[in-house]
């Protein structure tokens, strides 16, 4: 996402310094693109980019290039935003991304631990004192930013995805439906409730060819594998690398995102790229950009509600399914193309 943005800005005539963790550059790389210049660097430390060595290194970059704006992700924004705020006396625009899901972090640990409290406090200080604005990928994220960090200068710009798919003609029928789940297998992502819902559905529609494909890895892997072994209609593919994602979407008819809370599930946007309609839980930030009933079915995250959502998808006619598939693709083109993201970010930093 950020590298695509860097290339777009360069072709418009800007000079962009892109600091990469992966791939790692031992020496800076210089590239002319259009009227601009792209300069590729990597932090001096490959493990953690927020030590004294990194501050000194970035100070030297500031002396040479004197940037007008900085956009950072995670640890990469700590050094750049703090140093540019101080050296620029508040005149340099500094941005960070709020990707974290605070509620999910608490749920993963079972409680709001002292360590987590310190993490949230440190984030709050950083946002308030060293960020001109904080970019949120969804309205769910901006609500999280305001509630957990009392930060009011957030701006919603959804994460984009490149259009690298080769969509096939929708072909699902109510007699043969394949549901898909792709993502981490942890409590917040809620795969076990989906399995409960699907098993109930499969028992009710024994005459139909219904199946559930699960791809991913995580803390609930062993439990998921046990459930899959008992039901021939459920298939677990394990962890998929990037090259296998397209194949996964070609196998399914519906993508289900049953998360308890999810800022903006990338898998949902990937499914839309591939013209797949969605079943989304109330906790998914993606729902705020879509129209319920057009490209997705909305559900609560409990197994009964998920069952009802799966049931609604199964009883749709072929024409209804084809229309939702087309609407899903159109929603991607309207909301999540790279070009939309480029223009919004350029408007922020210039």
């Amino acid at each position: 996402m950020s590298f695509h943005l860097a290339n777009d800005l360069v072709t418009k005539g800007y000079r962009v310094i892109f600091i990469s963790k992966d791939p790692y550059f031992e020496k800076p790389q210089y590239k002319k693109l259009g009227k601009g210049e792209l300069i590729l660097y990597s932090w001096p430390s490959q493990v953690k980019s927020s030590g004294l060595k990194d501050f000194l290194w970035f100070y030297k970059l500031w002396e040479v290039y004197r940037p007008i704006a900085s956009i950072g992700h995670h640890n990469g924004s700590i050094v750049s935003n703090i140093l540019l705020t101080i050296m620029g006396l508040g005149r340099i625009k500094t941005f960070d991304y709020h990707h974290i899901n605070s509620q999910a972090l608490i749920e993963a640990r079972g409680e709001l631990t002292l360590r987590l409290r310190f993490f949230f406090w440190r984030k709050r200080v950083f946002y308030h004192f060293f960020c001109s604005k904080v970019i949120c990928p969804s309205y769910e994220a901006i609500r999280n930013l305001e509630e957990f960090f009392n930060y009011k200068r957030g701006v919603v710009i959804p994460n984009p995805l490149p259009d690298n798919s080769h969509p096939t003609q929708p072909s699902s029928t109510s007699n043969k439906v394949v549901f898909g789940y792709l993502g981490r297998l942890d409590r917040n992502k809620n795969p076990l409730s989906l399995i409960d819902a699907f098993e109930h559905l499969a028992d009710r529609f024994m005459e139909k060819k219904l199946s559930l494909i699960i791809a991913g890895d995580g803390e609930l892997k062993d439990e998921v594998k046990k459930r899959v072994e008992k039901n021939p209609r459920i298939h677990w593919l394990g962890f998929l690398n990037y090259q296998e994602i397209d194949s996964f979407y070609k196998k399914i008819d519906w993508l289900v995102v049953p998360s308890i809370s999810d800022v903006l599930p990338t898998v949902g946007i990937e499914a839309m790229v591939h013209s797949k309609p969605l079943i989304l839980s109330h906790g998914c930030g993606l729902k705020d950009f879509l129209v319920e009933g057009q490209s997705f079915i909305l559900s609560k995250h409990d197994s009964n509600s998920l069952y009802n959502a799966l049931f609604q998808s199964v009883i749709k006619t072929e024409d209804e399914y084809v229309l939702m598939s087309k609407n899903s693709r159109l929603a991607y083109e309207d909301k999540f193309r790279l070009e939309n993201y480029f223009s919004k970010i350029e408007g922020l930093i210039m």
Side-chain angles (χ1 to χ4, degrees):
M1 180 178 74
S2 294
F3 191 65
H4 287 296
L5 171 64
N7 279 268
D8 179 74
L9 291 172
V10 169
T11 57
K12 292 175 179 175
Y14 298 103
R15 180 171 64 185
V16 177
I17 302 165
F18 189 88
I19 305 175
S20 169
K21 273 188 173 291
D22 184 20
Y24 189 84
F25 299 103
E26 295 289 347
K27 295 180 180 180
Q29 309 287 316
Y30 301 86
K31 297 183 179 181
K32 286 286 187 180
L33 298 172
K35 299 178 181 179
E37 182 183 25
L38 178 63
I39 307 172
L40 301 172
Y41 278 94
S42 288
W43 294 101
S45 172
Q46 295 189 43
V47 180
K48 189 176 181 182
S49 55
S50 56
L52 178 60
K53 183 179 180 181
D54 301 290
F55 274 94
L56 295 174
W57 175 83
F58 191 82
Y59 176 80
K60 293 177 182 178
L61 284 189
W62 173 79
E63 281 190 314
V64 174
Y65 297 109
R66 301 297 172 107
I68 63 170
S70 169
I71 303 176
H73 290 263
H74 307 300
N75 279 343
S77 64
I78 295 174
V79 170
S80 56
N81 282 18
I82 291 176
L83 197 143
L84 291 178
T85 299
I86 294 171
M87 302 310 300
L89 300 176
R91 292 190 295 269
I92 300 173
K93 294 180 180 180
T94 55
F95 304 94
D96 192 20
Y97 282 85
H98 185 66
H99 291 304
I100 66 171
N101 185 335
S102 304
Q103 191 60 45
L105 291 176
I106 295 172
E107 289 167 358
R109 289 159 177 77
E111 61 176 332
L112 184 56
T113 63
L114 184 62
R115 184 174 182 178
L116 207 50
R117 287 178 187 273
F118 176 73
F119 171 76
F120 290 153
W121 174 82
R122 188 180 64 181
K123 271 284 186 185
R124 177 186 290 219
V125 171
F126 177 70
Y127 286 158
H128 279 272
F129 290 98
F130 300 106
C131 295
S132 304
K133 286 187 181 296
V134 172
I135 301 169
C136 297
S138 68
Y139 295 99
E140 194 72 28
I142 210 166
R143 285 190 286 269
N144 185 276
L145 180 68
E146 293 176 355
E147 292 173 7
F148 276 83
F149 304 96
N150 193 31
Y151 187 89
K152 307 298 182 183
R153 298 195 305 275
V155 57
V156 175
I157 301 179
N159 293 342
L161 280 181
D163 186 3
N164 55 5
S165 74
H166 303 283
T168 56
Q169 184 67 24
S171 60
S172 175
T173 67
S174 58
N175 191 52
K176 179 181 179 298
V177 182
V178 182
F179 299 100
Y181 172 95
L182 175 62
R184 296 197 313 274
L185 303 178
D186 62 28
R187 284 177 289 177
N188 183 65
K189 295 294 185 179
N190 204 28
L192 296 180
S193 292
L194 172 59
I195 293 175
D196 289 338
F198 175 79
E199 288 180 336
H200 184 190
L201 185 81
D203 287 343
R204 176 164 181 175
F205 293 100
M206 295 294 293
E207 75 284 1
K208 294 182 181 293
K209 297 178 180 179
L210 305 181
S211 59
L212 170 63
I213 299 176
I214 297 175
D217 201 351
E219 62 174 315
L220 298 178
K221 179 179 71 173
D222 291 340
E223 291 183 59
V224 169
K225 288 177 68 176
K226 288 179 183 177
R227 299 287 295 275
V228 169
E229 289 169 358
K230 296 177 182 178
N231 193 326
R233 293 191 180 198
I234 306 177
H235 312 280
W236 180 62
L237 303 181
F239 175 80
L240 299 184
N241 60 44
Y242 185 76
Q243 290 73 26
E244 297 172 296
I245 298 299
D246 273 8
S247 177
F248 168 83
Y249 286 114
K250 289 176 181 177
K251 294 175 182 176
I252 69 170
D253 301 306
W254 294 82
L255 182 79
V256 188
V257 186
S259 305
I260 297 172
S261 58
D262 209 322
V263 170
L264 189 76
T266 302
V267 293
I269 305 174
E270 288 175 343
M272 294 163 65
V273 172
H274 289 81
S275 302
K276 303 299 180 181
L278 310 169
I279 296 174
L280 301 176
S281 72
H282 274 281
C284 293
L286 186 57
K287 73 181 188 303
D288 295 325
F289 300 99
L290 307 175
V291 179
E292 183 182 355
Q294 286 189 6
S295 58
F296 81 103
I297 296 172
L298 185 62
S299 171
K300 295 180 182 178
H301 65 260
D302 63 278
S303 59
N304 287 335
S305 298
L306 287 167
Y307 164 78
N308 290 331
L310 297 178
F311 178 86
Q312 288 180 51
S313 68
V314 166
I315 64 174
K316 288 193 177 297
T317 66
E318 185 171 356
D319 288 343
E320 289 172 331
Y321 173 80
V322 169
L323 181 59
M324 289 193 73
S325 299
K326 292 179 178 178
N327 286 338
S328 185
R329 171 69 191 189
L330 289 173
Y332 158 73
E333 294 176 356
D334 182 49
K335 303 288 186 181
F336 302 103
R337 278 190 180 276
L338 286 171
E339 292 77 12
N340 300 348
Y341 173 75
F342 295 159
S343 62
K344 289 178 181 179
I345 294 292
E346 187 178 4
L348 268 186
I349 65 180
M350 300 306 167

